[in-house]
């Protein structure tokens, strides 16, 4: 995963920011509140939610 790749253009949120939040044990709701993704145009909302779930599954599988 390219940690510098942008996941939300409106809020300038990167994959790395999302991965770090998941690694810190934050829930999907907590990450959404902290990073405020999807509050601009909203196009990234579903994609980031799926990414959070996948990263959490990978974390929990370890």
């Amino acid at each position: 995963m390219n940690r510098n790749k942008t996941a939300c253009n409106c809020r300038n949120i990167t994959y790395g920011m999302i991965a770090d939040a998941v690694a810190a044990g934050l829930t999907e709701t907590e990450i959404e509140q902290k990073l405020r993704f999807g509050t601009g145009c909203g196009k990234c909302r579903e994609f980031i939610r799926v990414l959070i779930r996948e990263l959490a599954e990978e974390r929990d599988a370890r």
Side-chain angles (χ1 to χ4, degrees):
M1 171 178 50
N2 179 352
R3 293 181 50 84
N4 295 319
K5 186 173 180 179
T6 302
C8 174
N9 287 316
C10 296
R11 300 287 178 222
N12 198 28
I13 299 169
T14 65
Y15 283 44
M17 294 166 72
I18 297 165
D20 291 345
V22 171
L26 298 178
T27 66
E28 184 177 319
T29 302
E30 291 169 331
I31 296 169
E32 188 168 357
Q33 290 171 349
K34 178 180 178 168
L35 299 179
R36 299 186 51 213
F37 67 84
T39 58
C41 72
K43 291 180 182 178
C44 68
R45 185 176 292 123
E46 188 57 33
F47 167 73
I48 292 178
R49 286 179 176 159
V50 170
L51 179 61
I52 290 169
R53 288 183 214 125
E54 289 176 356
L55 291 170
E57 287 175 9
E58 287 177 17
R59 178 199 64 207
D60 296 343
R62 292 183 199 155

